[in-house]
Amino acid sequence: MTNCAKVAAECHKHLCEHDWHGYTQGSGRWGDGEGACDVWVDGKCYKVQQGDRDCSSSVIECWQLALEGTAYAGALGKLGVGGPTYTGNMKQAFIKTGLFEWKPMSFVAQKGDIYLNEASHTAMCQSSSPDMLSEFLINENGQITGGKTGDQTGKESVIRGYYNFPWDGILHYNGKADGVNPGSDSGLESVRIYRPGLIASQKWCLLSKDMSSAVIQPICEPGKRLSYKSVEDGAAVRISPAGSEKESWVLKKISYPEYPDSVVSIHPKGYEGLCLTPIGLENGQGVRLEKFSGKSGQYWTLVSCGISWAYYPLVSGSGLTLGVEK
């Protein structure tokens, strides 16, 4: 089981302690693309790009890395693409994942939590006792751009005792992504959305004509089913051996003018307040159960592929389809 907060904090600690990583708000603020450092946490290797960061890119990247391999992989995008990019949009983007809660400064931050001033600065909590944080500050010339790659002074980023910047509040991680990782249990595989190629891993078969009690089988894995272990907001959806997990779904037809006969919302049987939902709309992002709100990403277009079906999130121009991670 992944401890995502620990992974985020350890990756940020590495960035602040290793002299290959200095400060910039320039084009190299997501690393230099010339290689990666290996950061090992609980027996797993995380690849941290070499090169510089600033306060926000460092914190965002470390949480992107922490979510890799979980049901929430890609929920924060990757290296400046498809996710938050600076302090001004971090709060909204992190809370939107369902993994973070906004707390007042009276709250005691925990390892991996994020101190945020939305106008200008952010840092990561390294520990609550002693109260330590890690942060990126300024380059060797006292500027926000320019300078040489890497920490030239030993002070471009630091780990030190807590101080009040002042912070507007704390983005507190709620632990939801620490559950069973898709594919980590024997026989389990992740379900994600991919650019459509209509290959076998993106085709599905309805084993029952009863849309109120549907069993959905991936064509590439005849002995497995689209399943869920728990019924709660944010729960993982994956592929598991037939009969090993909950696998009964309700496909509820939706009246939609452009696609009058082929749009459905997909709910766990008996729990129509939840539905199958993409975490985001980037290639390779996961799907999960979310509270049904009627947003367009929670509607799916069924496209016939002979004896099977492809499932597309009904979002204009998304160009993505449900598939099995292979």
Side-chain angles (χ1 to χ4, degrees):
M1 181 181 291
T2 302
N3 183 333
C4 292
K6 181 179 179 181
V7 172
E10 290 298 316
C11 288
H12 205 254
K13 179 180 179 182
H14 163 85
L15 285 172
C16 290
E17 290 184 337
H18 201 298
D19 61 12
W20 283 3
H21 310 291
Y23 185 97
T24 187
Q25 284 190 30
S27 59
R29 64 189 287 262
W30 299 98
D32 57 20
E34 295 184 2
C37 303
D38 291 345
V39 178
W40 289 88
V41 183
D42 295 335
K44 182 176 178 180
C45 182
Y46 295 85
K47 298 288 186 180
V48 178
Q49 293 297 309
Q50 296 176 10
D52 292 350
R53 307 294 193 280
D54 62 20
C55 66
S56 57
S57 68
S58 65
V59 169
I60 294 165
E61 179 184 347
C62 289
W63 267 105
Q64 290 170 341
L65 288 167
L67 297 179
E68 287 184 357
T70 75
Y72 293 82
L76 287 168
K78 188 172 184 179
L79 295 180
V81 178
T85 54
Y86 75 116
T87 56
N89 61 11
M90 284 177 63
K91 178 181 175 182
Q92 178 182 9
F94 274 75
I95 292 173
K96 186 179 178 181
T97 66
L99 298 174
F100 294 84
E101 302 165 9
W102 184 246
K103 298 290 189 180
M105 290 310 301
S106 57
F107 180 80
V108 178
Q110 303 299 307
K111 189 181 191 75
D113 285 355
I114 299 165
Y115 298 110
L116 182 62
N117 177 300
E118 293 185 82
S120 58
H121 194 44
T122 187
M124 185 175 291
C125 176
Q126 284 292 325
S127 63
S128 57
S129 181
D131 200 349
M132 305 291 290
L133 60 75
S134 50
E135 61 183 343
F136 274 71
L137 295 168
I138 203 76
N139 75 10
E140 71 270 25
N141 301 316
Q143 304 294 321
I144 61 174
T145 59
K148 296 180 179 180
T149 301
D151 192 343
Q152 309 301 314
T153 65
K155 296 180 179 179
E156 295 187 39
S157 59
V158 297
I159 297 175
R160 63 180 178 184
Y162 171 81
Y163 72 100
N164 187 10
F165 178 74
W167 310 112
D168 297 326
I170 296 166
L171 285 166
H172 170 61
Y173 172 58
N174 59 25
K176 283 186 178 180
D178 291 354
V180 177
N181 300 332
S184 63
D185 287 359
S186 177
L188 298 185
E189 294 170 270
S190 177
V191 184
R192 301 183 184 278
I193 52 174
Y194 298 101
R195 294 187 183 93
L198 294 186
I199 57 177
S201 60
Q202 292 171 296
K203 295 179 182 178
W204 304 82
C205 179
L206 284 174
L207 299 183
S208 169
K209 294 182 179 180
D210 183 359
M211 302 281 273
S212 66
S213 187
V215 176
I216 304 172
Q217 171 193 294
I219 292 293
C220 64
E221 298 277 5
K224 296 186 178 180
R225 308 287 186 263
L226 185 69
S227 68
Y228 47 97
K229 187 174 183 179
S230 62
V231 185
E232 59 183 345
D233 188 30
V237 175
R238 60 260 191 110
I239 301 299
S240 66
S244 64
E245 293 191 339
K246 299 178 178 70
E247 56 187 45
S248 185
W249 300 87
V250 175
L251 276 61
K252 189 173 181 179
K253 283 195 173 184
I254 304 295
S255 177
Y256 205 87
E258 294 182 50
Y259 309 96
D261 299 316
S262 60
V263 176
V264 298
S265 54
I266 306 174
H267 308 263
K269 185 174 176 62
Y271 298 89
E272 293 191 29
L274 297 171
C275 70
L276 189 70
T277 307
I279 292 173
L281 292 172
E282 299 290 331
N283 188 61
Q285 289 190 305
V287 297
R288 64 188 179 194
L289 298 180
E290 281 189 9
K291 290 180 180 178
F292 181 65
S293 63
K295 63 183 181 181
S296 58
Q298 294 180 321
Y299 297 147
W300 299 79
T301 309
L302 276 62
V303 177
S304 177
C305 307
I307 62 170
S308 60
W309 299 86
Y311 294 79
Y312 292 82
L314 186 61
V315 177
S316 178
S318 68
L320 299 163
T321 183
L322 192 68
V324 181
E325 183 179 38
K326 301 300 289 179

